[in-house]
Amino acid sequence: AQRVTQPEKLLSVFKGAPVELKCNYSYSGSPELFWYVQYSRQRLQLLLRHISRESIKGFTADLNKGETSFHLKKPFAQEEDSAMYYCALYQGGKLIFGQGTELSVKP
Amino acid sequence: KAGVTQTPRYLIKTRGQQVTLSCSPISGHRSVSWYQQTPGQGLQFLFEYFSETQRNKGNFPGRFSGRQFSNSRSEMNVSTLELGDSALYLCASSQGLALSYEQYFGPGTRLTVT
């Protein structure tokens, strides 16, 4: 079965520190992967998708098929990055979400 | 453009009852997907509708059903409610099928089953 694992429930960093939110997936084909973000009292929204290879709000994510990972990275965290982050895999017409990682950026 | 709207926002029902939730997509969007979010299971895909047809379905029992109307508005129905159906139900709309287009999420309907 396809699965998405986000091993950290909570990640706490200081402002200006690098941040990496981990995502591992279980899928034998060519994955379509996404990162979604939910800021406090806001709706869930798409942050980025791997096929677009773009950087959004300073975040990037690289697909590593060998390690079946799609970690989200930002070199210098900002307080406004504090939010819930979900990694998701699209397969067979379904979006399969990880359990989410809460990122807390402290001043 | 108005965002995705969901009604009602909060709902309390009793075990055994049925419930209907409504989702109005962004104007021009033809696809609506539904998700269930619970603390234990996280976000789980329920189904996706496109042009009034169910295109994809998640692993939920037949008590969960939905439909889409010609104006792309969608409803989700849960019959014979169980305590475990208590959750936040999110809908998301997109211009086309979910893989190719960005999904825009609504605020959710918080269903409590007592």
Side-chain angles (χ1 to χ4, degrees), chain A residues 9 45 59 94:
Chain A
K9 286 189 73 171
Q45 58 186 282
F59 284 98
K94 308 173 192 178

Side-chain angles (χ1 to χ4, degrees), chain B residues 1 34 36 112:
Chain B
K1 248 187 197 178
W34 287 89
Q36 182 196 64
T112 302

Side-chain angles (χ1 to χ4, degrees), chain B residues 17-38:
Chain B
Q17 288 186 314
Q18 75 161 10
V19 67
T20 298
L21 311 182
S22 181
C23 173
S24 292
I26 291 172
S27 177
H29 285 192
R30 295 170 64 192
S31 171
V32 173
S33 298
W34 287 89
Y35 298 86
Q36 182 196 64
Q37 186 175 28
T38 59

Side-chain angles (χ1 to χ4, degrees), chain B residues 9-105:
Chain B
R9 293 292 312 279
Y10 302 91
L11 204 49
I12 300 174
K13 289 286 188 178
T14 304
R15 263 182 307 176
Q17 288 186 314
Q18 75 161 10
V19 67
T20 298
L21 311 182
S22 181
C23 173
S24 292
I26 291 172
S27 177
H29 285 192
R30 295 170 64 192
S31 171
V32 173
S33 298
W34 287 89
Y35 298 86
Q36 182 196 64
Q37 186 175 28
T38 59
Q41 299 298 318
L43 272 159
Q44 291 186 285
F45 172 79
L46 279 156
F47 26 66
E48 179 180 19
Y49 285 87
F50 180 79
S51 294
E52 302 179 64
T53 303
Q54 187 181 92
R55 299 301 176 119
N56 299 295
K57 191 177 191 306
N59 299 323
F60 279 82
R63 300 185 297 107
F64 291 81
S65 63
R67 59 178 176 168
Q68 187 179 34
F69 302 95
S70 58
N71 61 359
S72 294
R73 189 177 71 85
S74 178
E75 287 182 347
M76 191 193 90
N77 184 275
V78 188
S79 62
T80 321
L81 283 165
E82 300 177 0
L83 294 179
D85 297 333
S86 293
L88 181 68
Y89 290 89
L90 295 171
C91 84
S93 76
S94 57
Q95 289 181 303
L97 290 173
L99 173 61
S100 305
Y101 297 90
E102 179 174 349
Q103 291 193 60
Y104 293 83
F105 282 81

